[in-house]
Amino acid sequence: MGPILLLGAPGVGKGTQAKALMAAWGIPQISTGDILREVKNHTTVPSALAERLLSAGKLPVEDMQKMQQGKLVSDDLVNEMVAARLASPDTRHGYVLDGYPRTLAQANWLDERLSATPGSLDVVAISIQVEYTKLLRRITGRRSCPTCGRIYNVYLHPPKHDMLCDDDRTPLEQRADDVESVFEQRIKTYEAQTAPVVEHYRGQGRFAEVDGELPVDEVTLSIKSAVARLRK
């Protein structure tokens, strides 16, 4: 399969589709968010990846401090983390990239690394498209039960009783960042960061778009078909 990059604004369902591709093709998902959390928590959760980076001197103090403060770290550090993850045997036949490359510099670095690795396939990028107002309903309609963790959507999958969990009648809660003002800013940030990455892969004929408003299984089939076309 080689490396497959899933692109899409917050709420399009990248995580759901990544899991479906992992199950279908037996390949791992590589999420930079997960890697950053793994490295950040390496003192309490033993991590071979974190240990390799630390022992190689790839985790400067300033970047460690940024991670602890929840700030963005440098492209160089993110690239090193991805390189360490790609050294694992489970990536040999392919992997799903989620959240990386996020910038044009990261995309160029990854292309250069893959071209220097014998037998590696190029990245193919699939963008999942969902119209803005529908994304807004997906995000701002989310509510969760603080007791059992069950997720609802007041527009799409509402609870049987207004703002109460169906299972235990606990009042549902809305995350602080699941509001329109925050979502609008996240969309602007995503588009500004991702536009050069999209054009990078589009210009090389390694980019396709799929309709993310279809049922989940149909979106998965569309992604598989797009990957097959791009790999020809």
Side-chain angles (χ1 to χ4, degrees):
M1 288 298 121
I4 301 162
L5 168 60
L6 292 184
L7 295 166
V12 299
K14 294 191 299 295
T16 298
Q17 293 304 322
K19 288 180 174 60
L21 297 178
M22 291 166 63
W25 289 332
I27 59 178
Q29 176 187 13
I30 296 179
S31 164
T32 48
D34 291 344
I35 293 174
L36 284 166
R37 282 187 288 274
E38 181 181 338
V39 173
K40 178 180 176 181
N41 297 328
H42 78 280
T43 53
T44 54
V45 180
S47 164
L49 185 151
E51 290 303 325
R52 287 204 301 272
L53 289 168
L54 287 165
S55 62
K58 301 295 187 180
L59 286 178
V61 172
E62 58 269 26
D63 274 318
M64 287 295 291
Q65 291 173 340
K66 286 181 180 179
M67 279 190 284
Q68 294 299 330
Q69 296 165 3
K71 296 180 179 179
L72 292 176
V73 297
S74 65
D75 280 348
D76 287 344
L77 177 58
V78 176
N79 291 341
E80 290 290 353
M81 290 179 175
V82 171
R85 179 64 183 87
L86 294 183
S88 299
D90 65 340
T91 65
R92 189 172 302 147
H93 301 297
Y95 41 90
V96 180
L97 291 162
D98 179 7
Y100 178 93
R102 190 181 298 273
T103 66
L104 183 57
Q106 292 175 0
N108 285 326
W109 178 89
L110 183 59
D111 281 353
E112 291 175 7
R113 185 187 187 282
L114 292 173
S115 65
T117 305
S120 291
L121 296 175
D122 290 330
V123 174
V124 294
I126 312 295
S127 179
I128 304 172
Q129 299 291 305
V130 176
E131 196 263 329
Y132 177 83
T133 56
K134 292 184 179 179
L135 280 180
L136 185 62
R137 287 166 69 90
R138 287 186 185 182
I139 298 297
T140 61
R142 284 196 300 212
R143 302 291 187 276
S144 62
C145 174
T147 301
C148 69
R150 183 170 175 179
I151 305 296
Y152 299 85
N153 187 293
V154 297
Y155 304 115
L156 307 174
H157 306 289
K160 295 175 183 176
H161 303 279
D162 187 34
M163 294 302 292
L164 296 176
C165 179
D166 293 345
D167 296 331
D168 49 40
R169 298 297 181 92
T170 302
L172 301 179
E173 297 179 348
Q174 182 181 35
R175 280 174 27 181
D177 56 351
D178 281 350
V179 295
E180 185 171 0
S181 58
V182 175
F183 177 69
E184 184 178 1
Q185 186 56 51
R186 290 175 67 195
I187 289 289
K188 289 179 179 178
T189 300
Y190 167 78
E191 290 176 345
Q193 285 185 329
T194 308
V197 177
V198 168
E199 292 310 311
H200 172 77
Y201 291 115
R202 192 197 303 274
Q204 297 184 19
R206 295 189 275 138
F207 175 81
E209 294 181 345
V210 299
D211 184 356
E213 297 180 21
L214 296 171
V216 171
D217 290 347
E218 292 183 31
V219 177
T220 305
L221 289 174
S222 297
I223 294 173
K224 290 179 179 180
S225 295
V227 171
R229 290 196 306 272
L230 294 172
R231 287 290 184 214
K232 285 185 178 178

